[in-house]
Amino acid sequence: MPANLPPQYFETEKKLKSAKSPEEKKEIMEELLSIVPKHKGTEKIQAQLKSKISKLKDQIQKKPKTASHGPTYHIEKAGAGQVVLIGPPNAGKSSLIASLTNAEPEIQNYPFTTPIPFPAMMEYKNVQIQLIDTPPIMSDYIDTWHHELVKGADGVLLVIDLSNPHLEKDIYTVLEKLRENRVEIVTQNQQGSDGARYFYSPSLVVANKNDHPSAQKNLFSPKKTFESQLEFISVSTFKKTRLEELKEKIFKLLNVLRVYSKTPGKKVDYNEPFVFKKGSSVMDMAETVHRDFARKLKYARIWGKDKYKGQKVNREYILQDEDIIELHI
Ligand SMILES: Nc1nc2c(ncn2[C@@H]2O[C@H](COP(=O)(O)OP(=O)(O)OP(=O)(O)O)[C@@H](O)[C@H]2O)c(=O)[nH]1
Ligand SMILES: [Mg+2]
């Protein structure tokens, strides 16, 4: 059933962009909730708004009343996951954001073009993923909040510049600056390693400017040096090479899956998948849809990739990517 939201909803939603504090955001969300017409087609929107309001309430309660040291840039998560772009100056972090999203960050051929973190949304197969552009990291410069941003994100893209013949040094520099704050970036499957000393962030190295004549030569040695710790993909924002593959890799970095909800007797809505961490169950889905569903859930029917054709599964069933789920209460 379509949501058919009134124009007033979208007008109010615009205010969210300029809301600075969690208090302000909570007020706007509450206003949105009061505007949403209450029927079956808006159940998902209502559930999402309620969940966001409750998270904001938590945040407001936990927020320290006194200012902490120095500026901090906590960026509220949005969409299916948050991925932060870091790297040396001029590597093309902002160019990548411009290529992968509808945002138009400033791009210049000099360092420190990006002064503060900047979020933008990337769409991949109907899933929205938040990318955050950041100022550069150099041997004598890293912002005090950089490592916190990395730790809070669901994934990290280390963007490097293939026109640079000294790439190894650039990568070492970024790794060292993060290690100073006990943060280590690694491929997704190493994430679980000894977390006692370091915080391990799942990451991907995006080697940009592969249109440069020496690109392949410049990438050869760093790839060999860091192959046990990092995964590389070489792209060009100028020539738009391998950007679709990059989007897919970013999605995989988040370790999430998409599930489509189906109302009995109706067609599946493929436009708005629910997104869950891998390992989530039917019960997790029911909780997200509505508290009542979680309480009253009897069973679910599932249509999965060639495996299931409407079979009944219980609440403990572990969701698989692109499952179609019909919840029965
Ligand atoms: N040849 C080539 N140049 C690129 C590519 N992508 C970006 N550039 C250029 O690289 C320069 C730096 O790009 P930015 O996107 O501003 O780099 P940044 O990493 O955001 O830089 P800072 O914000 O200063 O850290 C600009 O002159 C871009 O036009 C590419 O794929 N190939
Ligand atoms: Mg920039």
Side-chain angles (χ1 to χ4, degrees), residues 93-94 105-107 110-118 133-136 143:
K93 300 177 289 299
S94 304
E106 192 178 348
I107 295 166
Y110 51 76
F112 285 95
T113 307
T114 307
I116 56 167
F118 172 86
D133 195 2
T134 63
D143 284 291

Side-chain angles (χ1 to χ4, degrees), residues 9 33 36-53 288-290:
Y9 181 91
L33 187 61
V36 174
K38 310 291 180 290
H39 58 72
K40 208 146 183 57
T42 62
E43 271 176 1
K44 192 168 159 190
I45 297 170
Q46 290 183 58
Q48 284 168 343
L49 283 170
K50 282 177 192 163
S51 147
K52 282 181 191 158
I53 291 168
T288 306
V289 173
H290 199 279

Side-chain angles (χ1 to χ4, degrees), residues 178-198:
L178 291 175
R179 277 179 195 144
E180 282 172 10
N181 287 298
R182 296 189 188 286
V183 177
E184 187 82 77
I185 56 167
V186 289
T187 55
Q188 192 190 50
N189 53 16
Q190 297 176 73
Q191 211 203 335
S193 32
D194 171 33
R197 248 179 82 70
Y198 282 94

Side-chain angles (χ1 to χ4, degrees), residues 86 114 148 195 202 212 224 294:
I86 60 169
T114 307
E148 288 302 335
H212 190 272
K224 241 182 147 29

Side-chain angles (χ1 to χ4, degrees), residues 24-95:
E24 245 179 288
K25 275 190 199 142
K26 183 176 134 288
E27 259 176 45
I28 299 169
M29 296 272 183
E30 282 168 344
E31 199 181 333
L32 285 173
L33 187 61
S34 70
I35 297 169
V36 174
K38 310 291 180 290
H39 58 72
K40 208 146 183 57
T42 62
E43 271 176 1
K44 192 168 159 190
I45 297 170
Q46 290 183 58
Q48 284 168 343
L49 283 170
K50 282 177 192 163
S51 147
K52 282 181 191 158
I53 291 168
S54 120
K55 279 185 192 143
L56 284 166
K57 277 184 186 160
D58 282 354
Q59 203 185 332
I60 293 164
Q61 272 172 3
K62 283 182 200 149
K63 206 170 73 164
K65 294 276 178 269
T66 49
S68 55
H69 330 278
T72 171
Y73 289 99
H74 168 75
I75 294 179
E76 183 85 16
K77 284 191 182 182
Q82 186 183 68
V83 174
V84 57
L85 279 70
I86 60 169
N90 256 355
K93 300 177 289 299
S94 304
S95 303

